[in-house]
Amino acid sequence: MPPADTGASVTDRAAASPPSSTDSSSPAADPEAGKLRPGGPGYRRMSFALFAAGVATFALLYSTQALLPAISGDLRVSPDQASWTVSAATFGLALGVIPLSALSERFGRRTLMTASLSVAALIALVVPFAPSLGVLIALRAVQGVALAGLPASAMAFLAEEVRAKALVAAIGLFVAGNSIGGMSGRIVTGWVAQAWGWRAALGAVGVLAVVCAVTFRLLVPRARHFAPRAVGPRALARTLGGHLADPLLRRLYGIGALFMTVFGAVYTVIGYRLVAEPFNLPQGIVGSIFVIYLVGTVSSAAAGKLVARVGRRGALYLAVGTTSTGLLLSLADSVGAVLAGLVLITAGFFAGHAVASSSVSRTAKTARAQASALYQCAYYVGSSLGGALGAAAFHAVGWEGTVLLGLAAMLGAASITLYATRKAMTERRLLHLERAA
């Protein structure tokens, strides 16, 4: 495993490494000569394919989120009960991501991503016919498990097939696809539900997912740097144990979970707040609020430039501060203030997620799929807990309880990053003293 002497950042490691040759005609001089790079052959197809996969992942995973008030009213259940239609999917993904990432080591990232996306899309066509809340939650959980083959495999695919200097940007595009999927899925469901009901809205998301699955399969390039290997239970346990023994990876997993706790809580509950007093917004308008996801598209795609300017820890501090400011702003009983708060929360979340997830991919030098799977597991456990706890807090004390939960999570992320910063500063001082002695 790589040393964890730089805290929550791996930028200094990359900067300290000798630069590789830029002579692409000499593979011996440039070990990454055959990998994809911006402007090179295959890079655009790969980007569009992974973007489509990202759209489908978030559109399906959170397809019921904007519909929760309608589901509560139709099925006569409370917000915390209805929220499990979201949390069951994210929890299913968290459970399935590690074993499915192991299968990707044997059968290939491309194969597993195709199978996962296809199965999840087919389940989406069945979900609208669920006769009860229990059946709906069960189908959503199975759909979450099916989707589990996508995130970790996508990160590993990019780490293997894309040049290291372009990795943050490539992962940023995948995350941007997530934000577009989250936005489009919610907007479509909001307006379709207003006209024809929440079941028709879920059917529309299913059709969108099928289109994305076909697009992905047609565009995704063949893997050129993947070497299949069998991963048995003992070998998998050793690999996971090795990753969890790395303090840097543990911190990144914690940061991802805490950011997603905020995001899961806010976007699970915001619909209930906006359809109630003093806002009284209709379902279609509430669904359109999620156009704010476009901010996440920009912030995640720009994460690479942000890291280049302020470093990975600096980018994480900015993401925490932006998200926390948005949470506080959302407390006002003004539509404008709430929207501004959601913009800041979304920008901060997607920037923090892009930085943390790309750091995991660069830090793990072996078994990248499992390293990314652990991140995704922590990330979606955070989403499940955020959705469930955020809805419970809202049901008990109102929006203030949801905001308090989010601020506590951001305090945790800031504390982890601060610990890493102080650790790195201490180690740099010791190194300076050793060199001076």
Side-chain angles (χ1 to χ4, degrees):
M1 295 300 297
D5 59 352
T6 58
S9 173
V10 296
T11 301
D12 296 337
R13 296 180 191 166
S17 301
S20 60
S21 168
T22 58
D23 181 8
S24 60
S25 64
S26 174
D30 184 2
E32 294 194 322
K35 292 193 174 184
L36 298 173
R37 58 181 176 80
Y43 184 85
R44 181 172 296 181
R45 286 173 59 89
M46 179 275 299
S47 298
F48 278 122
L50 270 295
F51 184 83
V55 168
T57 299
F58 257 44
L60 289 175
L61 197 60
Y62 296 100
S63 59
T64 62
Q65 199 168 59
L67 303 174
L68 291 178
I71 292 173
S72 288
D74 186 42
L75 300 181
R76 298 182 181 180
V77 295
S78 63
D80 53 326
Q81 291 174 314
S83 72
W84 278 104
T85 63
V86 180
S87 294
T90 53
F91 190 64
L93 191 151
L95 288 178
V97 68
I98 290 177
L100 288 183
S101 73
L103 289 180
S104 79
E105 298 284 0
R106 174 66 181 85
F107 298 103
R109 327 295 188 197
R110 183 173 179 263
T111 299
L112 193 67
M113 286 189 290
T114 300
S116 293
L117 189 54
S118 300
V119 172
L122 290 176
I123 293 174
L125 299 178
V126 178
V127 165
F129 301 99
S132 66
L133 179 65
V135 174
L136 178 59
I137 291 173
L139 285 173
R140 296 280 292 145
V142 175
Q143 190 173 50
V145 173
L147 284 170
L150 271 165
S153 296
M155 298 298 181
F157 179 85
L158 291 172
E160 291 165 353
E161 305 298 327
V162 176
R163 291 193 176 197
K165 290 184 178 179
L167 184 58
V168 173
I171 290 179
L173 285 171
F174 176 66
V175 175
N178 292 166
S179 68
I180 290 290
M183 176 197 71
S184 59
R186 290 164 171 89
I187 291 176
V188 168
T189 56
W191 286 106
V192 173
Q194 183 169 314
W196 296 290
W198 62 270
R199 295 182 186 275
L202 291 180
V205 172
V207 172
L208 172 66
V210 171
V211 172
C212 287
V214 172
T215 301
F216 172 80
R217 184 65 184 86
L218 292 176
L219 293 181
V220 65
R222 292 187 179 276
R224 300 176 60 187
H225 301 274
F226 170 73
R229 65 188 183 94
V231 181
R234 291 184 180 180
L236 179 61
R238 286 195 299 269
T239 298
L240 296 177
H243 289 321
L244 290 173
D246 186 331
L248 171 54
L249 287 176
R250 288 203 305 269
R251 288 193 287 271
L252 292 171
Y253 297 152
I255 288 170
L258 290 167
F259 268 105
M260 196 53 167
T261 296
V262 177
F263 201 67
V266 166
Y267 276 100
T268 295
V269 172
I270 192 63
Y272 286 105
R273 187 179 188 215
L274 293 178
V275 299
E277 295 286 348
F279 306 107
N280 296 316
L281 297 181
Q283 183 69 55
I285 298 297
V286 170
S288 296
I289 294 299
F290 292 95
V291 73
I292 291 171
Y293 262 55
L294 284 174
V295 175
T297 304
V298 175
S299 66
S300 57
K305 293 181 180 179
L306 182 63
V307 168
R309 290 186 177 183
V310 300
R312 293 179 186 267
R313 287 192 297 273
L316 288 172
Y317 285 129
L318 286 174
V320 167
T322 301
T323 304
S324 300
T325 302
L327 286 167
L328 293 173
L329 190 57
S330 72
L331 288 168
D333 287 335
S334 161
V335 172
V338 172
L339 293 180
L342 289 176
V343 166
L344 294 177
I345 292 167
T346 304
F349 162 73
F350 275 104
H353 169 44
V355 172
S357 60
S358 63
S359 296
V360 169
S361 295
R362 292 189 62 180
T363 300
K365 304 303 181 186
T366 61
R368 286 191 175 100
Q370 282 72 53
S372 294
L374 282 170
Y375 176 83
Q376 297 294 332
C377 182
Y379 176 79
Y380 285 111
V381 165
S383 177
S384 298
L385 291 176
L389 294 177
F394 178 79
H395 187 59
V397 299
W399 180 251
E400 293 80 2
T402 304
V403 169
L404 184 61
L405 173 68
L407 291 173
M410 286 297 90
L411 178 61
S415 299
I416 293 173
T417 309
L418 179 61
Y419 168 82
T421 302
R422 296 181 62 181
K423 185 174 184 293
M425 293 174 62
T426 299
E427 291 177 354
R428 279 198 294 268
R429 285 197 298 268
L430 291 175
L431 181 60
H432 178 73
L433 291 174
E434 289 177 0
R435 289 176 176 175

